[in-house]
Amino acid sequence: MFESLAQLPPDPILGLIAAYKQDPRPNKIDVGVGVYRDENGETPVLQSVKQAEQYLLASETSKAYVGPAGNPEFIAQMKKLILGSGHTALDRLALVQTPGGCGALRVAAELIKRAKAGARIWVSDPTWGNHIPLLGDAGVELVSYPYYNFSRHQICFDEMFSALKHVGKGDLVLFHACCHNPSGADLSQAQWQEITRLAEQQGFVPFIDMAYQGFGEGLDQDAYGIRLMCERLPEVLLAVSCSKNFGLYRERVGALALLSDQPQVASSHFANIVRGIYSMPPSHGASIVATILSDSSLEQQWRVELTQMRERIIAMRQCLVEKMKALGAGPRFAHIAAQQGMFSFLGITPTEVAALREQHAVYMVDTGRVSLAGLNDNNIDAFCSALQAVLIPSGGV
Ligand SMILES: Cc1ncc(COP(=O)(O)O)c(C=O)c1O
């Protein structure tokens, strides 16, 4: 029967990774892939994670199942990390450990279908590519709202706001808490306040994806929108990832949370949905997070490491803008320093992207989205010269 399945084209990002690996040119640069890289181009295991792992190796006594909801200490610590320890809505929040942020999104789709058949999710244009299969292929209808103006390199807030005025009760609006992927353009605090008032008036449910807490401005600042909405609104759905901020990508750690007046009811559905998809989450990554967040010195060390990652990305953003200016590009790339997180659009054409790959061994996705963490002191000059060369093929500045 399976002969009826046709061969699918390779996933564009995985195809890009494969092409990069096969490229024999020694000075090749990868700004396509969505993982943090340090100044040596490595994705290291954080020291705080290593220490937590050593502790776990010595103290773990069983590999029995953790249960559909996951590790209770992880659940308690994550609520505080997301909302902040003094938040008034903490006891209205139900949270389940999931296999990464992707797992959280997939469980969320099931919860939405159970809660209201026909509920739609409004997603930003553009949004992270995987939102579409994770939510849309799970059977929830997706509708897009304008978010990013590609020629002005910024959020088109007025258009976004006008579109969201048409979203009513019974629909959800997906926001990126911080470090919007792919644009790097985030809502200001004033804009979060306006959207919160709109959600109050219209009755739609905010659904906030936070995959980069701590990568933008800081752990608390990056959760501003979530904390505000959880303070003001009756219901908020949250999908959270620990992949980036704890560097735990392959361990698959994340959480789905629902703020409501019936947290026990929500928890019962989380457990029931999980049982029907993957039964139980993996344990190791969440145990690491729980160990770090429940030990003040390990937590402090993790915060320092997180700050280093954030500051390195910010430094690379600023450096790129200055170097491109010095090469004669003017303010064309100024938006990169104003945006935050791992990603931004360079604002170049697919032809220029192809020229970067073919002529200069610089790899990025066709949209011109770059991962700034792929840059470091050793490759940023080559990157900027290549970029300038494809912008002005004659080589003149
Ligand atoms: C916007 C966004 N949401 C969610 C995720 C989920 O990541 P993971 O499943 O690896 O935790 C990512 C990862 O790249 C992301 O960029």
Side-chain angles (χ1 to χ4, degrees), residues 11-25:
D11 177 282
I13 300 244
L14 300 183
L16 193 75
I17 296 170
Y20 173 81
K21 272 196 182 143
Q22 280 162 17
D23 192 325
R25 289 173 285 183

Side-chain angles (χ1 to χ4, degrees), residues 34 99-103 105 128 131 176 179 181 209-212 240-244 249 252-254 343:
C102 288
L105 289 159
W128 180 47
H131 279 149
H176 298 219
C179 309
N181 180 7
D209 182 0
M210 182 157 67
Y212 301 90
V240 178
S241 166
C242 299
S243 299
K244 311 286 166 16
Y249 311 88
R252 313 309 296 130
V253 202
F343 305 108

Side-chain angles (χ1 to χ4, degrees), residues 171-193:
D171 274 359
L172 299 100
V173 181
L174 183 65
F175 300 100
H176 298 219
C178 59
C179 309
H180 185 270
N181 180 7
S183 75
D186 285 337
L187 294 167
S188 67
Q189 293 195 352
Q191 289 169 336
W192 276 113
Q193 288 162 20

Side-chain angles (χ1 to χ4, degrees), residues 28-355:
K28 58 189 179 180
I29 299 173
D30 176 14
V31 283
V33 69
V35 295
Y36 176 79
R37 297 251 164 84
D38 67 12
E39 55 284 1
N40 302 312
E42 311 287 342
T43 305
V45 181
L46 301 184
Q47 282 307 309
S48 47
V49 167
K50 276 271 177 222
Q51 284 194 31
E53 285 186 308
Q54 273 157 17
Y55 167 78
L56 288 171
L57 187 64
S59 62
E60 203 170 48
T61 52
S62 174
K63 294 286 184 191
Y65 293 119
V66 290
N71 177 329
E73 183 64 18
F74 172 83
I75 292 172
Q77 293 295 341
M78 284 302 286
K79 287 184 185 178
K80 285 195 279 173
L81 184 66
I82 298 165
L83 288 188
S85 8
H87 199 284
T88 52
L90 274 170
D91 57 3
R92 291 202 297 128
L93 196 69
L95 186 143
V96 62
Q97 176 192 325
T98 55
C102 288
L105 289 159
R106 185 66 180 77
V107 175
E110 294 303 323
L111 184 76
I112 292 165
K113 285 192 292 181
R114 279 189 182 193
K116 186 167 186 292
R120 297 176 302 172
I121 306 176
W122 292 65
V123 299
S124 63
D125 177 19
T127 194
W128 180 47
N130 224 14
H131 279 149
I132 316 297
L134 283 167
L135 301 168
D137 290 3
V140 186
E141 187 189 342
L142 303 183
V143 192
S144 69
Y145 62 86
Y147 185 76
Y148 188 71
N149 182 316
F150 284 83
S151 38
R152 299 204 344 256
H153 308 296
Q154 60 188 32
I155 295 180
C156 45
F157 188 72
D158 292 346
E159 285 102 310
M160 170 183 178
F161 198 80
S162 306
L164 296 186
K165 275 186 184 161
H166 299 289
V167 186
K169 216 173 157 58
D171 274 359
L172 299 100
V173 181
L174 183 65
F175 300 100
H176 298 219
C178 59
C179 309
H180 185 270
N181 180 7
S183 75
D186 285 337
L187 294 167
S188 67
Q189 293 195 352
Q191 289 169 336
W192 276 113
Q193 288 162 20
E194 279 191 62
I195 300 278
T196 304
R197 275 193 294 273
L198 187 66
E200 229 164 2
Q201 276 162 28
Q202 298 289 121
F204 61 73
V205 177
F207 177 10
I208 313 181
D209 182 0
M210 182 157 67
Y212 301 90
Q213 187 180 9
F215 266 48
E217 282 180 72
L219 284 168
D220 295 329
Q221 297 91 322
D222 292 350
Y224 176 83
I226 284 188
R227 293 176 185 182
L228 178 73
M229 287 185 156
C230 287
E231 205 177 285
R232 302 276 171 79
L233 301 174
E235 291 182 333
V236 183
L237 189 58
L238 306 172
V240 178
S241 166
C242 299
S243 299
K244 311 286 166 16
N245 53 5
F246 286 87
L248 283 170
Y249 311 88
R250 67 173 63 163
E251 299 297 352
R252 313 309 296 130
V253 202
L256 176 68
L258 178 69
L259 178 93
S260 76
D261 285 336
Q262 299 175 294
Q264 278 112 340
V265 174
S267 294
S268 71
H269 282 273
F270 286 160
N272 184 264
I273 293 167
V274 163
R275 200 78 178 106
I277 308 181
Y278 51 82
S279 190
M280 318 265 171
S283 164
H284 187 62
S287 300
I288 293 170
V289 171
T291 303
I292 292 175
L293 294 179
S294 55
D295 177 302
S296 58
S297 81
L298 270 186
E299 186 194 351
Q300 188 48 34
Q301 190 182 349
W302 167 66
R303 283 175 180 260
V304 169
E305 292 180 286
L306 178 60
T307 304
Q308 281 164 355
M309 292 194 279
R310 175 176 65 249
E311 290 183 345
R312 207 189 80 70
I313 295 174
I314 294 172
M316 283 302 119
R317 286 180 171 277
Q318 288 164 349
C319 191
L320 184 148
V321 175
E322 280 158 27
K323 284 190 190 289
M324 290 311 293
K325 222 174 174 176
L327 286 170
R332 174 170 176 168
F333 295 100
H335 63 282
I336 308 265
Q339 295 170 348
Q340 53 188 14
M342 297 229 300
F343 305 108
S344 277
F345 287 114
L346 284 178
I348 62 175
T349 64
T351 313
E352 288 164 326
V353 170

